Amino acid sequence: MQAETTVLRDCGWIISWNAAEERHEYMQGGDLAFRGDRVLQVGGRYEGPFEHEVDARARMVMPGFVDLHAHPTFETMLKGYTDEVGSPNFYQSSLYEFLFLFELDEEGMRASNEVALSELLLSGVTTLCDISVPHEGWLDMMAQSGIRGFAAPMFRSGRWFTRNGHSVEYAFDEPQGRARLETALSVVDAARAHPSGRLDGVISPAQIDTCSEGLLRDAAAEARARNMPLQIHASQSVVEFNEIMRRHGRTPAGWLGELGLLGPDLTIGHGIFMDHHDWVAWGARNDLGLLAESGTTVAHCPTVFVRRGISLRHFAEYRAAGVNMGLGTDTFPHNFVEEMRNAIYVGRTVSGNSKGPTAQMIFEAATVGGAKALGRDDIGRLAPGAKADIVLVDLMHPAMRPVRDPLRSLVFSAGERPIRDVYIDGRQVVAGGRVLGLDREAALARVEEAQARSAAQVHKHDWAGRPADEVMPHALPFARVPAPAPAPVPEVASGAAEAEA
């Protein structure tokens, strides 16, 4: 069957890719044509044959976003519970006291994933690195959504826990870690062979402090044998920084370098607590140079950290050092445009500089930065030969107007609301602001049921045996319902009383 051609005619604005200058640029007016899964033409008048024509005069046409770091099968159901938690005894991190309070069953994971995938598509994400625990139907759900998915099944040889709320301990089980690595390898191989043709894999040892040296070395070897990217959580807490220093006498970045993991195929999830961060009070300043020289990427996820008063120090400094930067959602809501806005505001606040970062910097991280980390030069850009991963933004949406600079209007004012249509591989997956391949409303009901089941078990996982409502109380106290007033005694008119007498 011959591939069909679609023309987006007379586009109001196009964010095109200038390959010679290696940058995104605005075009006003012109057509964008794609045949099958590939872009044919960007700009000018398309005069070739076509099967479908779309009036794009009131649209900004831009490349789809690359979400480099997300946990869609878990984070969705934490909404309303972990929004405002953090542990002062663990440098404000929520990892050690709160992260594993919730145990999610497979039905809950499937429902959570469907909701998160819907949110991602509606916010313009066309490529996702999904860092999750393997579960039944995972790959098929990604394929059903239409997203370009990189499955990153987590594995580790140890776990952290706290007995008292102020110290972190580790328990290691190396055979179990090896078994989980083998499971992960079977999943990524299945993703690469999936009949949808849009799935691939990422080798993802879960955290630097929960993986043994042998497991990390073997994970890297397996990834490189497959020509597959690597991603690991590292430099995500002061506790972890100090633990890696205690074990190895190296910063987390230094330890990854010593193991041979740093390189253009490695993404560090978060990468906040490097040796220059003021919270670690370290004397050396080598980590950013190690990342830049090796070509390692940092997946920046500002929202999940800024909720706890934690931030990268800082986005523009990493960029100035030459570090490739990508963006991820990590937590609820899985709203990529909000994540971009938060990255800008947090970066400017921490740097004390209204120019650092700019909307241009963040857009690059959200597109070509993430693509580079995944080893792809055919996504995150609109150019002939690139994948037809395309997002259409309604320029007439009130939050976009006046349209002097549409990218700024999208990021700073409108958010995801004016995103109307999304194509991935040339196939429409969002039409008129509605996800075509998933049932978001039904999935939301199932997530609520899963959340209730999990919350009822929180006391079993909390170090002090506390129930969920004690560990994570509501934002406001509940009002005391006053006792009903006694019924008034009916009054009898004096004349009537005398008559009765």
Side-chain angles (χ1 to χ4, degrees):
M1 182 176 176
Q2 187 173 2
E4 295 185 340
T5 299
T6 297
V7 182
L8 306 179
R9 186 73 76 185
D10 298 323
C11 303
W13 294 72
I14 302 174
I15 299 181
S16 63
W17 179 249
N18 183 327
E21 299 291 337
E22 295 189 335
R23 69 185 186 195
H24 295 291
E25 295 179 342
Y26 278 142
M27 286 184 180
Q28 285 187 275
D31 300 340
L32 187 144
F34 57 92
R35 178 179 298 137
D37 66 342
R38 298 284 173 172
V39 175
L40 283 178
Q41 179 177 318
V42 181
R45 176 78 181 180
Y46 177 74
E47 300 289 0
F50 60 87
E51 285 72 34
H52 308 283
E53 185 177 46
V54 177
D55 182 352
R57 286 174 294 178
R59 296 291 184 262
M60 174 173 71
V61 180
M62 66 179 187
F65 297 128
V66 179
D67 188 335
L68 193 55
H69 185 105
H71 305 290
T73 58
F74 183 70
E75 286 285 337
T76 303
M77 57 84 64
L78 301 181
K79 188 185 297 184
Y81 279 99
T82 62
D83 315 59
E84 294 191 280
V85 300
S87 301
N89 292 332
F90 300 129
Y91 302 89
Q92 308 304 329
S93 175
S94 63
L95 294 173
Y96 308 103
E97 192 173 8
F98 299 102
L99 182 62
F100 295 108
L101 292 181
F102 292 86
E103 189 172 316
L104 194 59
D105 54 39
E106 291 216 348
E107 169 55 25
M109 284 192 277
R110 286 191 290 271
S112 177
N113 196 21
E114 188 165 359
V115 172
L117 287 169
S118 299
E119 291 180 347
L120 289 166
L121 291 169
L122 290 169
S123 63
V125 171
T126 54
T127 297
L128 169 68
C129 180
D130 180 348
I131 307 169
S132 293
V133 175
H135 58 279
E136 184 179 354
W138 181 24
L139 300 182
D140 290 337
M141 175 67 73
M142 271 197 281
Q144 179 183 334
S145 75
I147 207 161
R148 189 176 304 286
F150 284 76
M154 289 186 289
F155 55 91
R156 58 184 187 167
S157 46
R159 63 180 180 89
W160 60 60
F161 61 96
T162 179
R163 301 177 196 267
N164 51 27
H166 61 79
S167 61
V168 176
E169 301 177 55
Y170 292 82
F172 282 86
D173 184 339
E174 192 65 21
Q176 185 180 70
R178 294 285 163 180
R180 287 175 174 170
L181 170 60
E182 291 303 317
T183 298
L185 295 176
S186 68
V187 171
V188 298
D189 289 343
R192 179 165 279 180
H194 195 276
S196 70
R198 291 188 311 276
L199 306 188
D200 207 337
V202 172
I203 304 298
S204 186
Q207 300 98 12
I208 189 174
D209 50 337
T210 61
C211 294
S212 67
E213 176 179 343
L215 192 67
L216 290 175
R217 290 186 185 276
D218 289 349
E222 294 287 356
R224 286 159 187 169
R226 289 168 169 75
N227 192 28
M228 194 170 279
L230 276 158
Q231 186 163 168
I232 188 170
H233 291 84
S235 298
Q236 64 175 333
S237 76
V238 177
V239 170
E240 173 221 288
F241 183 95
N242 291 336
E243 178 66 18
I244 297 301
M245 284 298 308
R246 183 190 68 79
R247 292 182 198 171
H248 307 295
R250 299 284 186 277
T251 66
W255 177 235
L256 290 171
E258 190 167 306
L259 293 176
L261 266 72
L262 295 183
D265 57 351
L266 177 69
T267 295
I268 292 177
H270 308 313
I272 296 170
F273 293 102
M274 301 284 177
D275 58 16
H276 68 283
H277 198 288
D278 52 342
W279 284 19
V280 303
W282 206 248
R285 296 290 184 271
N286 300 315
D287 286 349
L288 292 185
L290 287 174
L291 301 186
E293 291 165 14
S294 61
T296 301
T297 296
V298 169
H300 180 38
C301 309
T303 301
V304 70
F305 288 96
V306 75
R307 282 177 181 162
R308 291 158 187 101
I310 299 169
S311 60
L312 196 76
R313 300 288 202 273
H314 51 79
F315 188 96
E317 182 174 349
Y318 281 57
R319 279 274 306 236
V323 179
N324 185 54
M325 301 295 289
L327 287 182
T329 49
D330 191 272
T331 190
F332 60 88
H334 286 86
N335 186 322
F336 201 80
V337 184
E338 282 191 6
E339 204 76 41
M340 293 169 69
R341 182 190 304 146
N342 288 342
I344 293 171
Y345 288 161
V346 173
R348 291 179 180 181
T349 301
V350 172
S351 67
N353 182 353
S354 64
K355 302 293 186 184
T358 63
Q360 180 185 17
M361 289 180 192
I362 292 299
F363 189 74
E364 288 172 357
T367 54
V368 292
K372 183 178 182 180
L374 294 171
R376 299 289 294 261
D377 61 4
D378 60 346
I379 60 176
R381 68 205 71 199
L382 293 182
K387 285 287 190 177
D389 294 357
I390 302 165
V391 175
L392 274 64
V393 179
D394 180 7
L395 295 171
M396 299 306 291
H397 189 284
M400 289 292 292
R401 301 174 72 182
V403 188
R404 189 262 170 179
D405 190 311
L407 178 59
R408 286 178 178 155
S409 291
L410 180 73
V411 174
F412 293 114
S413 298
E416 85 294 351
R417 290 170 290 168
I419 292 175
R420 305 304 296 160
D421 303 284
V422 178
Y423 297 83
I424 300 175
D425 255 5
R427 172 174 169 259
Q428 191 162 18
V429 296
V430 173
R434 183 174 64 89
V435 178
L436 299 179
L438 302 173
D439 189 342
R440 185 186 186 190
E441 290 302 316
L444 281 167
R446 294 178 3 246
V447 166
E448 289 171 341
E449 294 168 359
Q451 185 185 65
R453 291 194 301 270
S454 184
Q457 306 299 315
V458 161
H459 65 283
K460 296 181 179 179
H461 306 290
D462 179 61
W463 63 270
R466 298 167 293 180
D469 284 349
E470 181 181 343
V471 183
M472 296 158 285
H474 287 81
L476 299 176
F478 286 91
R480 292 183 179 180
V481 179
V489 177
E491 295 184 5
V492 180
S494 58
E498 290 174 0
E500 288 179 7

